[in-house]
Amino acid sequence: MSASSGPRVIVVGAGIVGAACAEALAEVGCRVTVLEGGLAGAGATAASMGHVVVMDDPEPQFALSAWSRRLWTERAPELPAECEDHPCGTLWVARDEAEMDRLRRKAASYMTRGERVEILDPVALREAEPQLRRGLAGALRVPEDRVLYPPGATRHLLERARANGAVLRERSAVERVEPRRVRVGGGWQGADIVVVAAAAAAAQLVPALPIEPRRGHLVITDRYPGFLRHQVIELGYHAHALDRESVAFNVQPRRTGQILIGSSRELVGWDPAVNTSVRARMLRRATDFVPGLSALQALRTWVGFRPATPDGLPLIGEWEPGLFVAAGHEGLGVTTSLGTAGIITSLALGRPTVIDPRPFDPRRAEVVRA
Ligand SMILES: Cc1cc2nc3c(=O)[nH]c(=O)nc-3n(C[C@H](O)[C@H](O)[C@H](O)COP(=O)(O)OP(=O)(O)OC[C@H]3O[C@@H](n4cnc5c(N)ncnc54)[C@H](O)[C@@H]3O)c2cc1C
């Protein structure tokens, strides 16, 4: 298909998911326009940790994450420096024997699904990550996980889309979407397909979409190269925790030498304020695992909004003919952006998909609001 003859597609939203969709659709010859209400990559994507991770999730999410991480790994050699690609792997840390039992079950679950993992005893753990406190029971290493700088990765995907003829319009908030057209700046703009990739704001454009913002805090430190070697997470962390308010230990070494400290989840709508008590709990949790963090200089705290769905799975696919959705990726949208783009492109062009798209069908009865 040539760039001039493919379907016209409007992608609403230039976060990492919209950018990946734009890249993949432009690559196969679609004539893509991306309409972004603010600045590209400045939404949930900019607030994110950028951990490209395969969690021990139920099958549909596992399949999407594993496939997407493979796509990131395959393109790692060509990623520009601004993506800050860092193949550091993940360490899931167990505090005691009870957690070690869970960790062994987690290891078995990964291995049955073909994922390479390694169990570390306390001595090996100390060697792998000397800043962790003594007395921990062990860890599970997932060596193929990696870390990216999400705004840089988004810019890169958009650049590749533009190289195939896509047009990006920032500060162009879409007021309404309908199949095959959107209203922007008071006028209607037509296309063959509209893809809504507006994260939690997708529910403002398609009100029946059950996506809500789940606030998360992150703290970033000054530069301490070599302080940590892996993304390190407590075993109890879950990317789709449904509690109204939760904190978990999750720290990341950035390519810059900075340390990113998370994580928290709260359901408070779009309130952009830093919750100082949640931040304090989050930091206490982190220093309990890595005592040396308390001596580091924290530079900034921010919040972002994970786009959460009731069943924890993203909404990817056709909503009605001429209108597609790619939203609701909660805490895994950086990881799964490339797989999402693959599914949207195959479905939009009526081609076979690489993984089963049905679990992500946005019309699935159990998640659609009555
Ligand atoms: C604290 C935190 C940590 C996270 N850590 C990780 C992690 O380690 N790994 C991981 O994989 N994921 C992580 N995530 C999740 C990840 O950030 C999201 O799942 C992902 O960024 C979603 O991408 P998106 O493109 O759908 O959303 P966004 O980046 O929010 O993009 C949506 C875009 O749509 C635009 N938009 C909205 N409404 C309109 C409109 N009407 N018209 C035009 N444009 C519009 C917005 O301006 C925005 O730019 C984290 C999230 C948070 C908050």
PDB file of all heavy atoms in Angstrom, residues 215-235:
ATOM      1  N   ARG A 215      -4.368   8.191  40.452  1.00  0.00           N
ATOM      2  CA  ARG A 215      -3.199   9.051  40.679  1.00  0.00           C
ATOM      3  C   ARG A 215      -2.022   8.264  41.248  1.00  0.00           C
ATOM      4  O   ARG A 215      -2.192   7.396  42.097  1.00  0.00           O
ATOM      5  CB  ARG A 215      -3.582  10.167  41.657  1.00  0.00           C
ATOM      6  CG  ARG A 215      -2.495  11.215  41.820  1.00  0.00           C
ATOM      7  CD  ARG A 215      -2.989  12.425  42.586  1.00  0.00           C
ATOM      8  NE  ARG A 215      -3.223  12.133  43.995  1.00  0.00           N
ATOM      9  CZ  ARG A 215      -3.654  13.018  44.888  1.00  0.00           C
ATOM     10  NH1 ARG A 215      -3.922  14.254  44.495  1.00  0.00           N
ATOM     11  NH2 ARG A 215      -3.839  12.681  46.146  1.00  0.00           N
ATOM     12  N   GLY A 216      -0.833   8.592  40.755  1.00  0.00           N
ATOM     13  CA  GLY A 216       0.387   7.975  41.278  1.00  0.00           C
ATOM     14  C   GLY A 216       1.457   9.030  41.495  1.00  0.00           C
ATOM     15  O   GLY A 216       1.526  10.009  40.751  1.00  0.00           O
ATOM     16  N   HIS A 217       2.282   8.850  42.539  1.00  0.00           N
ATOM     17  CA  HIS A 217       3.378   9.788  42.839  1.00  0.00           C
ATOM     18  C   HIS A 217       4.724   9.158  42.465  1.00  0.00           C
ATOM     19  O   HIS A 217       4.911   7.946  42.619  1.00  0.00           O
ATOM     20  CB  HIS A 217       3.462  10.060  44.347  1.00  0.00           C
ATOM     21  CG  HIS A 217       2.327  10.858  44.889  1.00  0.00           C
ATOM     22  ND1 HIS A 217       1.053  10.373  44.987  1.00  0.00           N
ATOM     23  CD2 HIS A 217       2.289  12.122  45.380  1.00  0.00           C
ATOM     24  CE1 HIS A 217       0.266  11.305  45.518  1.00  0.00           C
ATOM     25  NE2 HIS A 217       0.992  12.375  45.769  1.00  0.00           N
ATOM     26  N   LEU A 218       5.648   9.996  42.039  1.00  0.00           N
ATOM     27  CA  LEU A 218       7.044   9.565  41.893  1.00  0.00           C
ATOM     28  C   LEU A 218       7.951  10.652  42.449  1.00  0.00           C
ATOM     29  O   LEU A 218       7.624  11.849  42.364  1.00  0.00           O
ATOM     30  CB  LEU A 218       7.407   9.327  40.420  1.00  0.00           C
ATOM     31  CG  LEU A 218       6.809   8.093  39.734  1.00  0.00           C
ATOM     32  CD1 LEU A 218       7.234   8.054  38.270  1.00  0.00           C
ATOM     33  CD2 LEU A 218       7.243   6.807  40.429  1.00  0.00           C
ATOM     34  N   VAL A 219       9.080  10.221  42.995  1.00  0.00           N
ATOM     35  CA  VAL A 219      10.098  11.156  43.487  1.00  0.00           C
ATOM     36  C   VAL A 219      11.368  10.872  42.703  1.00  0.00           C
ATOM     37  O   VAL A 219      11.711   9.703  42.488  1.00  0.00           O
ATOM     38  CB  VAL A 219      10.358  10.928  45.002  1.00  0.00           C
ATOM     39  CG1 VAL A 219      11.524  11.783  45.492  1.00  0.00           C
ATOM     40  CG2 VAL A 219       9.100  11.212  45.818  1.00  0.00           C
ATOM     41  N   ILE A 220      12.057  11.945  42.264  1.00  0.00           N
ATOM     42  CA  ILE A 220      13.335  11.727  41.554  1.00  0.00           C
ATOM     43  C   ILE A 220      14.464  12.381  42.338  1.00  0.00           C
ATOM     44  O   ILE A 220      14.300  13.459  42.907  1.00  0.00           O
ATOM     45  CB  ILE A 220      13.272  12.233  40.100  1.00  0.00           C
ATOM     46  CG1 ILE A 220      14.484  11.713  39.320  1.00  0.00           C
ATOM     47  CG2 ILE A 220      13.183  13.758  40.004  1.00  0.00           C
ATOM     48  CD1 ILE A 220      14.277  11.583  37.840  1.00  0.00           C
ATOM     49  N   THR A 221      15.590  11.686  42.384  1.00  0.00           N
ATOM     50  CA  THR A 221      16.745  12.200  43.144  1.00  0.00           C
ATOM     51  C   THR A 221      17.750  12.868  42.202  1.00  0.00           C
ATOM     52  O   THR A 221      17.629  12.796  40.978  1.00  0.00           O
ATOM     53  CB  THR A 221      17.499  11.057  43.863  1.00  0.00           C
ATOM     54  OG1 THR A 221      18.189  10.275  42.876  1.00  0.00           O
ATOM     55  CG2 THR A 221      16.554  10.179  44.665  1.00  0.00           C
ATOM     56  N   ASP A 222      18.735  13.450  42.794  1.00  0.00           N
ATOM     57  CA  ASP A 222      19.904  13.940  42.078  1.00  0.00           C
ATOM     58  C   ASP A 222      20.649  12.729  41.473  1.00  0.00           C
ATOM     59  O   ASP A 222      20.198  11.592  41.634  1.00  0.00           O
ATOM     60  CB  ASP A 222      20.811  14.691  43.069  1.00  0.00           C
ATOM     61  CG  ASP A 222      21.626  15.762  42.374  1.00  0.00           C
ATOM     62  OD1 ASP A 222      21.753  15.698  41.139  1.00  0.00           O
ATOM     63  OD2 ASP A 222      22.138  16.658  43.077  1.00  0.00           O
ATOM     64  N   ARG A 223      21.794  12.969  40.840  1.00  0.00           N
ATOM     65  CA  ARG A 223      22.500  11.884  40.120  1.00  0.00           C
ATOM     66  C   ARG A 223      23.458  11.120  41.042  1.00  0.00           C
ATOM     67  O   ARG A 223      24.334  11.735  41.651  1.00  0.00           O
ATOM     68  CB  ARG A 223      23.281  12.475  38.958  1.00  0.00           C
ATOM     69  CG  ARG A 223      22.351  13.100  37.955  1.00  0.00           C
ATOM     70  CD  ARG A 223      23.093  13.831  36.860  1.00  0.00           C
ATOM     71  NE  ARG A 223      22.100  14.471  36.014  1.00  0.00           N
ATOM     72  CZ  ARG A 223      22.067  14.408  34.692  1.00  0.00           C
ATOM     73  NH1 ARG A 223      23.029  13.773  34.047  1.00  0.00           N
ATOM     74  NH2 ARG A 223      21.117  15.006  33.998  1.00  0.00           N
ATOM     75  N   TYR A 224      23.271   9.813  41.094  1.00  0.00           N
ATOM     76  CA  TYR A 224      24.159   8.946  41.885  1.00  0.00           C
ATOM     77  C   TYR A 224      24.484   7.717  41.041  1.00  0.00           C
ATOM     78  O   TYR A 224      23.953   6.623  41.295  1.00  0.00           O
ATOM     79  CB  TYR A 224      23.479   8.549  43.209  1.00  0.00           C
ATOM     80  CG  TYR A 224      23.084   9.738  44.048  1.00  0.00           C
ATOM     81  CD1 TYR A 224      21.806  10.281  43.946  1.00  0.00           C
ATOM     82  CD2 TYR A 224      24.007  10.348  44.904  1.00  0.00           C
ATOM     83  CE1 TYR A 224      21.449  11.399  44.690  1.00  0.00           C
ATOM     84  CE2 TYR A 224      23.655  11.462  45.654  1.00  0.00           C
ATOM     85  CZ  TYR A 224      22.374  11.984  45.538  1.00  0.00           C
ATOM     86  OH  TYR A 224      22.017  13.093  46.265  1.00  0.00           O
ATOM     87  N   PRO A 225      25.327   7.885  39.999  1.00  0.00           N
ATOM     88  CA  PRO A 225      25.583   6.772  39.086  1.00  0.00           C
ATOM     89  C   PRO A 225      26.065   5.526  39.834  1.00  0.00           C
ATOM     90  O   PRO A 225      26.898   5.627  40.735  1.00  0.00           O
ATOM     91  CB  PRO A 225      26.681   7.316  38.160  1.00  0.00           C
ATOM     92  CG  PRO A 225      26.596   8.798  38.273  1.00  0.00           C
ATOM     93  CD  PRO A 225      26.094   9.091  39.661  1.00  0.00           C
ATOM     94  N   GLY A 226      25.493   4.383  39.495  1.00  0.00           N
ATOM     95  CA  GLY A 226      25.926   3.120  40.081  1.00  0.00           C
ATOM     96  C   GLY A 226      25.257   2.781  41.403  1.00  0.00           C
ATOM     97  O   GLY A 226      25.498   1.705  41.960  1.00  0.00           O
ATOM     98  N   PHE A 227      24.431   3.691  41.941  1.00  0.00           N
ATOM     99  CA  PHE A 227      23.792   3.429  43.251  1.00  0.00           C
ATOM    100  C   PHE A 227      22.934   2.167  43.180  1.00  0.00           C
ATOM    101  O   PHE A 227      22.963   1.339  44.084  1.00  0.00           O
ATOM    102  CB  PHE A 227      22.956   4.649  43.650  1.00  0.00           C
ATOM    103  CG  PHE A 227      22.292   4.523  44.985  1.00  0.00           C
ATOM    104  CD1 PHE A 227      22.986   4.816  46.156  1.00  0.00           C
ATOM    105  CD2 PHE A 227      20.964   4.111  45.094  1.00  0.00           C
ATOM    106  CE1 PHE A 227      22.369   4.695  47.402  1.00  0.00           C
ATOM    107  CE2 PHE A 227      20.351   3.981  46.335  1.00  0.00           C
ATOM    108  CZ  PHE A 227      21.055   4.279  47.492  1.00  0.00           C
ATOM    109  N   LEU A 228      22.140   2.031  42.109  1.00  0.00           N
ATOM    110  CA  LEU A 228      21.331   0.823  41.896  1.00  0.00           C
ATOM    111  C   LEU A 228      21.655   0.254  40.526  1.00  0.00           C
ATOM    112  O   LEU A 228      22.015   0.997  39.612  1.00  0.00           O
ATOM    113  CB  LEU A 228      19.835   1.151  41.925  1.00  0.00           C
ATOM    114  CG  LEU A 228      19.150   1.431  43.252  1.00  0.00           C
ATOM    115  CD1 LEU A 228      17.691   1.773  43.001  1.00  0.00           C
ATOM    116  CD2 LEU A 228      19.248   0.230  44.193  1.00  0.00           C
ATOM    117  N   ARG A 229      21.431  -1.059  40.371  1.00  0.00           N
ATOM    118  CA  ARG A 229      21.745  -1.709  39.085  1.00  0.00           C
ATOM    119  C   ARG A 229      20.508  -2.223  38.375  1.00  0.00           C
ATOM    120  O   ARG A 229      20.548  -2.476  37.178  1.00  0.00           O
ATOM    121  CB  ARG A 229      22.694  -2.866  39.333  1.00  0.00           C
ATOM    122  CG  ARG A 229      23.993  -2.412  39.977  1.00  0.00           C
ATOM    123  CD  ARG A 229      24.764  -3.594  40.524  1.00  0.00           C
ATOM    124  NE  ARG A 229      25.960  -3.137  41.226  1.00  0.00           N
ATOM    125  CZ  ARG A 229      26.742  -3.940  41.923  1.00  0.00           C
ATOM    126  NH1 ARG A 229      26.469  -5.237  42.007  1.00  0.00           N
ATOM    127  NH2 ARG A 229      27.799  -3.471  42.539  1.00  0.00           N
ATOM    128  N   HIS A 230      19.450  -2.500  39.143  1.00  0.00           N
ATOM    129  CA  HIS A 230      18.212  -3.058  38.575  1.00  0.00           C
ATOM    130  C   HIS A 230      17.035  -2.167  38.941  1.00  0.00           C
ATOM    131  O   HIS A 230      17.103  -1.415  39.906  1.00  0.00           O
ATOM    132  CB  HIS A 230      17.894  -4.440  39.176  1.00  0.00           C
ATOM    133  CG  HIS A 230      18.949  -5.469  39.012  1.00  0.00           C
ATOM    134  ND1 HIS A 230      20.070  -5.522  39.799  1.00  0.00           N
ATOM    135  CD2 HIS A 230      19.034  -6.499  38.150  1.00  0.00           C
ATOM    136  CE1 HIS A 230      20.827  -6.550  39.424  1.00  0.00           C
ATOM    137  NE2 HIS A 230      20.223  -7.160  38.415  1.00  0.00           N
ATOM    138  N   GLN A 231      15.941  -2.361  38.220  1.00  0.00           N
ATOM    139  CA  GLN A 231      14.658  -1.908  38.762  1.00  0.00           C
ATOM    140  C   GLN A 231      14.348  -2.879  39.893  1.00  0.00           C
ATOM    141  O   GLN A 231      14.391  -4.105  39.700  1.00  0.00           O
ATOM    142  CB  GLN A 231      13.577  -1.981  37.685  1.00  0.00           C
ATOM    143  CG  GLN A 231      12.198  -1.604  38.188  1.00  0.00           C
ATOM    144  CD  GLN A 231      11.703  -0.246  37.730  1.00  0.00           C
ATOM    145  OE1 GLN A 231      12.247   0.326  36.774  1.00  0.00           O
ATOM    146  NE2 GLN A 231      10.683   0.283  38.381  1.00  0.00           N
ATOM    147  N   VAL A 232      14.085  -2.363  41.076  1.00  0.00           N
ATOM    148  CA  VAL A 232      13.876  -3.246  42.233  1.00  0.00           C
ATOM    149  C   VAL A 232      12.470  -3.009  42.792  1.00  0.00           C
ATOM    150  O   VAL A 232      12.093  -1.855  43.061  1.00  0.00           O
ATOM    151  CB  VAL A 232      14.925  -3.003  43.341  1.00  0.00           C
ATOM    152  CG1 VAL A 232      14.870  -4.136  44.361  1.00  0.00           C
ATOM    153  CG2 VAL A 232      16.321  -2.888  42.768  1.00  0.00           C
ATOM    154  N   ILE A 233      11.726  -4.087  42.976  1.00  0.00           N
ATOM    155  CA  ILE A 233      10.317  -3.985  43.378  1.00  0.00           C
ATOM    156  C   ILE A 233      10.034  -5.008  44.466  1.00  0.00           C
ATOM    157  O   ILE A 233      10.567  -6.119  44.450  1.00  0.00           O
ATOM    158  CB  ILE A 233       9.367  -4.299  42.194  1.00  0.00           C
ATOM    159  CG1 ILE A 233       9.809  -3.592  40.925  1.00  0.00           C
ATOM    160  CG2 ILE A 233       7.947  -3.935  42.517  1.00  0.00           C
ATOM    161  CD1 ILE A 233       8.850  -3.765  39.761  1.00  0.00           C
ATOM    162  N   GLU A 234       9.155  -4.624  45.398  1.00  0.00           N
ATOM    163  CA  GLU A 234       8.761  -5.621  46.398  1.00  0.00           C
ATOM    164  C   GLU A 234       7.814  -6.621  45.765  1.00  0.00           C
ATOM    165  O   GLU A 234       7.071  -6.310  44.821  1.00  0.00           O
ATOM    166  CB  GLU A 234       8.127  -4.948  47.622  1.00  0.00           C
ATOM    167  CG  GLU A 234       6.790  -4.303  47.384  1.00  0.00           C
ATOM    168  CD  GLU A 234       6.195  -3.766  48.682  1.00  0.00           C
ATOM    169  OE1 GLU A 234       5.580  -4.551  49.427  1.00  0.00           O
ATOM    170  OE2 GLU A 234       6.363  -2.557  48.941  1.00  0.00           O
ATOM    171  N   LEU A 235       7.839  -7.825  46.295  1.00  0.00           N
ATOM    172  CA  LEU A 235       7.053  -8.919  45.725  1.00  0.00           C
ATOM    173  C   LEU A 235       5.560  -8.601  45.698  1.00  0.00           C
ATOM    174  O   LEU A 235       4.836  -9.002  44.791  1.00  0.00           O
ATOM    175  CB  LEU A 235       7.305 -10.180  46.553  1.00  0.00           C
ATOM    176  CG  LEU A 235       6.825 -11.470  45.923  1.00  0.00           C
ATOM    177  CD1 LEU A 235       7.600 -11.781  44.666  1.00  0.00           C
ATOM    178  CD2 LEU A 235       6.957 -12.606  46.927  1.00  0.00           C
TER     179      LEU A 235
END
